[in-house]
Amino acid sequence: MPETIRRADRLPGNRYGNRPTMKDVAARAGVGLKTVSRVVNGEPGVTPETEQRVQDAIAALGFRRNDSARVLRKGRTASIGLVLEDLADPFYGPLSRAVEEVARAHGALLINGSSAEDPEREQELVLTLCARRVDGLVVIPAGDDHRYLEPEIRAGVATVFVDRPAGKIDADVVLSDNYGGARGGVAHLIAHGHRRIGFIGDMPRIHTAAERLRGYRAAMEDAGIPVEDAWMSLGVTDPGRVRRAAEGMLSGPAPVTAIFTGNNRVTVTVVRVLAEQSRRVALVGFDDIELADLLQPGVTVVAQDAAALGRTAAERLFRQLDGSLVVPERIELPTRLITRGSGELPPAD
Amino acid sequence: MPETIRRADRLPGNRYGNRPTMKDVAARAGVGLKTVSRVVNGEPGVTPETEQRVQDAIAALGFRRNDSARVLRKGRTASIGLVLEDLADPFYGPLSRAVEEVARAHGALLINGSSAEDPEREQELVLTLCARRVDGLVVIPAGDDHRYLEPEIRAGVATVFVDRPAGKIDADVVLSDNYGGARGGVAHLIAHGHRRIGFIGDMPRIHTAAERLRGYRAAMEDAGIPVEDAWMSLGVTDPGRVRRAAEGMLSGPAPVTAIFTGNNRVTVTVVRVLAEQSRRVALVGFDDIELADLLQPGVTVVAQDAAALGRTAAERLFRQLDGSLVVPERIELPTRLITRGSGELPPAD
DNA sequence: CCCGGCCATGACAACGTTGTCCAGGCTCTA
DNA sequence: TAGAGCCTGGACAACGTTGTCATGGCCGGG
């Protein structure tokens, strides 16, 4: 192991520690400032000999271009922001990664922020990113009013919403077909003979939750089944309350024989509850979950492609930046029903 | 819905679209540039009356401070970089989120980058982040030589390595007790009567993989069990090859009766393979996996706390930036054996 | 009433880079 | 050999902000 670098060894000096600038490099190489800039940026008009002198000076001083200054001068930061709910949620990891890959392909960095489903925090994050002059924003909105973004968009910040539409402004948005997916999932249960079907989902103020609820209602209506209030539980995602909600639906004189769950977190908890039941209860969940195929029975889900959402959104973002997109659009990606057993159980009443 | 903002409506003008600067605000408010700066930054020395005029101008113009320029002037970017392997991996999501929370508490933003386990890409990312003048770096290294970071560290970039130590430089590092955890997990299998125990892990050039392998060997040696080459599969993580490796160990005249898996991805695949076997094979995996408790049998794991790794690392980073840390340290966080059934199966031979 | 000192404010330089423009030296051709 | 044109290289301003310092007005005390 080489000699330890103690932080105490750091030279005092300017604020960046003691970083050489192009000026320093120029002095050392005995050339002008602009010549260094040319070499660093691979611009033409420098003889190989001069270039070599500059390269040597760069290496000797350990120079690295200060992109902060570059950004200030050029106006493009080559970075984009992604505001999502919670990076720790397995749904958002792949989405974020997909956005990062597209950004990378365009030479941009990705700044991540978690809103924790708090509209105020979302706004704070978005505006902070705008102050950093990110070139664009991919937003999974927590709030339902994004008029605060109008001046930013007008000022040239490319913006794409994902997973849920923007509120009160007209902007690009990339969604999954939540309505159709939920409708299909519930219809699947109905096709397997169920009539008393429960729904456990998030607060309907969240667009995805509302759409999935709408899909549930539509499927029930298609089949001519009147929905009872006792079958629906809205605004419930934390494990304890989901558990109580599920147990409630499963008790009483006419318990549900199947449950449709509105997102991955709910599904996981309901799987736990159902595992404790003596009766076999059918289940279809929105969002795929890892290992769903290994459970007994396998969990039938309506899967959305998180990576595709992220990729599509990021690609649109860069097309906005190209100037090749002008009018905001709404893009809906299909969902996919994956049958694994739990959704094909017959009613046990 | 309000009037559509078409991107075509954006005024041309300067590079940021057409953003007002402090100069514009000053002109409109009829005050000096510096007074605007004072108001924006809440500095004292401005009469309430003047301040109001400035605030009005700010609101009227939709001014937002350009943090790029601020950064250039102040020298601190209030952003840190996190370089990890793959944000889509469920292990890194919570880690990243934990780092973000700490950064947020210190008023900093987080820039994420995935190295895809490629040392070159890691270096490229790290150096790009340094060029952006991030204040600090949290790195989950892919490579094993980080001497390229020496000039940066010396120049004042706070640096903490996580999950795996830095190569060939002396730097802060926060690790899980991979050796101890693996040793304990394998000892657990031995305590339940196993002697022919397989190990499937990643390439030993990856520190965590090497340490876990070392733990496996140590536990076996403690029990006086000579390890056979056929029981070990190293450098294998993609599902197809893991499957073949597992099937190989489970066939032949003296198949293993238990398997220790070196990370979450391997564990998942091996669970799939074992589910197809008629014989019951014990399993202990490194890293917890979601729903592990719902499988039949539940999967016994050696769990590490990804969020704690991230949090600890980020806190050290900011303590470096405080100046309250000087000498690099190595911090090891304990792992936890979670018994759920699969690790307690008796040998079936 | 005058002067010292304080307070609000603004002019100016600087941060490190890139774009513009100009100068000087070279080559090539007539 | 002179002039045109090209190629290399450098001086300078500008990006939008903040730190430093100067200025001018006002107040209070002697």
Side-chain angles (χ1 to χ4, degrees):
Chain A
M1 175 146 324
E3 177 186 350
T4 294
I5 311 170
R6 285 176 193 281
R7 281 180 284 277
D9 294 343
R10 287 171 185 162
L11 302 169
N14 74 33
R15 298 180 308 278
Y16 289 123
N18 213 7
R19 302 201 89 114
T21 68
M22 285 191 177
K23 199 169 154 188
D24 302 323
V25 174
R28 174 158 187 137
V31 301
L33 183 55
K34 180 64 199 194
T35 301
V36 176
S37 172
R38 274 193 268 262
V39 171
V40 169
N41 294 294
E43 289 170 21
V46 181
T47 54
E49 186 195 339
T50 308
E51 160 150 16
Q52 192 55 53
R53 280 222 311 288
V54 173
Q55 292 288 13
D56 291 347
I58 287 176
L61 295 173
F63 166 80
R64 187 157 344 268
R65 181 179 63 198
N66 184 335
D67 279 352
S68 279
R70 175 168 222 253
V71 156
L72 177 61
R73 191 60 233 258
K74 303 202 72 134
R76 279 283 166 106
T77 56
S79 55
I80 66 174
L82 170 61
V83 177
L84 38 69
E85 190 211 325
D86 179 4
L87 206 41
D89 184 318
F91 177 72
Y92 293 114
L95 193 154
S96 175
R97 178 67 200 274
V99 172
E100 184 196 339
E101 287 304 318
V102 175
R104 182 177 145 84
H106 287 82
L109 284 179
L110 180 62
I111 305 181
N112 263 292
S114 299
S115 69
E117 203 67 84
D118 171 355
E120 242 176 87
R121 190 162 156 180
E122 171 208 303
Q123 178 170 349
E124 176 200 322
L125 254 170
V126 165
L127 291 182
T128 303
L129 291 168
C130 288
R132 297 282 174 119
R133 296 295 189 268
V134 292
D135 297 334
L137 282 169
V138 176
V139 182
I140 296 166
D144 54 5
D145 184 350
H146 298 91
R147 281 174 297 184
Y148 69 86
L149 260 170
E150 282 185 1
E152 310 300 331
I153 293 176
R154 204 171 273 121
V157 180
T159 309
V160 179
F161 286 76
V162 185
D163 191 42
R164 311 169 192 168
K168 303 185 181 170
I169 66 170
D170 193 20
D172 271 319
V173 52
V174 180
L175 305 167
S176 281
D177 179 12
N178 293 290
Y179 167 75
R183 184 173 176 171
V186 174
H188 182 75
L189 288 168
I190 294 170
H192 282 80
H194 296 272
R195 294 186 61 84
R196 296 197 306 278
I197 301 173
F199 177 93
I200 306 181
D202 216 328
M203 294 162 288
R205 75 167 176 78
I206 299 177
H207 175 264
T208 50
E211 284 292 290
R212 293 169 196 174
L213 175 60
R214 199 162 68 82
Y216 164 79
R217 285 185 183 281
M220 296 296 267
E221 192 175 332
D222 288 346
I225 307 171
V227 174
E228 296 187 14
D229 284 351
W231 300 349
M232 286 188 304
S233 165
L234 309 178
V236 161
T237 50
D238 68 289
R241 295 177 61 201
V242 168
R243 169 172 289 277
R244 281 197 297 281
E247 286 168 352
M249 292 176 190
L250 292 168
S251 60
V256 299
T257 63
I259 297 181
F260 185 85
T261 49
N263 68 41
N264 54 358
R265 292 184 302 266
V266 173
T267 305
V268 168
T269 304
V270 170
V271 167
R272 290 211 163 82
V273 172
L274 295 188
E276 298 160 6
Q277 299 283 318
S278 51
R279 206 154 34 95
R280 298 284 252 174
V281 177
L283 170 67
V284 173
F286 208 107
D287 289 336
D288 203 1
I289 52 182
E290 208 180 14
L291 299 189
D293 56 321
L294 290 177
L295 298 174
Q296 299 294 339
V299 182
T300 294
V301 298
V302 177
Q304 45 178 338
D305 187 342
L309 281 173
R311 198 180 326 114
T312 308
E315 277 163 3
R316 276 197 81 79
L317 192 76
F318 283 101
R319 286 184 53 206
Q320 282 186 26
L321 288 168
D322 283 347
S324 56
L325 284 184
V326 174
V327 180
E329 257 178 83
R330 173 197 184 97
I331 297 180
E332 219 162 73
L333 301 184
T335 58
R336 198 161 52 96
L337 182 74
I338 306 178
T339 56
R340 296 196 179 109
S342 75
E344 295 74 49
L345 294 172
D349 46 3
Chain B
M1 172 146 325
E3 179 184 350
T4 295
I5 311 168
R6 286 176 191 281
R7 282 180 285 276
D9 295 343
R10 289 171 184 160
L11 302 170
N14 74 33
R15 298 181 305 279
Y16 289 122
N18 212 9
R19 300 202 89 111
T21 70
M22 286 192 178
K23 201 168 151 190
D24 301 324
V25 175
R28 175 160 186 134
V31 302
L33 181 55
K34 180 64 201 193
T35 300
V36 176
S37 173
R38 273 192 268 262
V39 170
V40 169
N41 293 294
E43 289 169 23
V46 181
T47 55
E49 184 196 340
T50 309
E51 160 149 16
Q52 191 54 55
R53 278 222 312 289
V54 173
Q55 292 290 13
D56 291 348
I58 288 176
L61 295 174
F63 167 80
R64 186 158 342 270
R65 181 178 62 198
N66 184 336
D67 279 352
S68 278
R70 176 166 222 251
V71 155
L72 177 61
R73 191 61 232 258
K74 302 203 74 130
R76 281 280 165 109
T77 56
S79 55
I80 66 174
L82 170 60
V83 177
L84 38 70
E85 190 212 324
D86 179 4
L87 206 41
D89 184 319
F91 177 72
Y92 293 113
L95 194 155
S96 174
R97 178 66 199 274
V99 172
E100 184 196 338
E101 286 305 316
V102 176
R104 181 177 144 84
H106 287 81
L109 285 179
L110 179 63
I111 305 181
N112 264 292
S114 299
S115 69
E117 204 67 87
D118 171 354
E120 242 176 87
R121 189 163 156 179
E122 171 208 304
Q123 176 169 350
E124 176 200 321
L125 254 170
V126 165
L127 292 182
T128 303
L129 291 168
C130 288
R132 297 282 173 120
R133 296 298 187 266
V134 292
D135 298 334
L137 281 170
V138 176
V139 182
I140 296 166
D144 54 4
D145 184 350
H146 298 91
R147 281 174 295 184
Y148 69 86
L149 260 171
E150 281 184 3
E152 310 299 330
I153 293 175
R154 203 171 274 124
V157 180
T159 310
V160 179
F161 286 76
V162 185
D163 191 43
R164 312 168 191 169
K168 302 185 181 170
I169 65 170
D170 193 19
D172 272 319
V173 52
V174 180
L175 304 167
S176 282
D177 179 12
N178 293 290
Y179 168 75
R183 184 173 177 171
V186 174
H188 182 75
L189 288 168
I190 295 171
H192 282 79
H194 296 272
R195 294 185 60 83
R196 297 197 307 277
I197 302 174
F199 177 93
I200 305 181
D202 217 328
M203 294 162 287
R205 75 166 177 77
I206 298 178
H207 175 264
T208 49
E211 284 292 290
R212 293 170 196 174
L213 175 59
R214 200 164 66 83
Y216 163 80
R217 286 184 182 282
M220 296 295 267
E221 192 175 332
D222 290 346
I225 307 171
V227 174
E228 297 187 12
D229 283 350
W231 299 348
M232 287 188 303
S233 165
L234 310 177
V236 161
T237 49
D238 68 288
R241 294 177 61 201
V242 168
R243 170 171 288 275
R244 282 197 297 281
E247 287 169 351
M249 291 176 189
L250 292 169
S251 60
V256 299
T257 64
I259 296 180
F260 185 84
T261 49
N263 68 41
N264 54 358
R265 292 182 303 265
V266 174
T267 306
V268 168
T269 304
V270 170
V271 167
R272 290 211 164 81
V273 172
L274 295 188
E276 299 160 7
Q277 299 283 317
S278 49
R279 208 154 31 94
R280 296 285 251 176
V281 177
L283 169 68
V284 173
F286 208 107
D287 291 337
D288 202 2
I289 51 182
E290 206 179 16
L291 299 190
D293 57 320
L294 289 178
L295 298 175
Q296 299 295 340
V299 181
T300 294
V301 298
V302 178
Q304 45 179 338
D305 187 342
L309 282 173
R311 198 181 324 114
T312 307
E315 276 162 3
R316 277 196 79 78
L317 192 77
F318 283 101
R319 286 184 53 207
Q320 282 186 28
L321 288 169
D322 282 349
S324 57
L325 284 185
V326 173
V327 180
E329 257 178 85
R330 176 196 184 95
I331 296 180
E332 219 163 72
L333 301 184
T335 57
R336 198 161 52 96
L337 182 74
I338 305 177
T339 57
R340 296 197 179 107
S342 75
E344 295 73 51
L345 294 173
D349 48 1

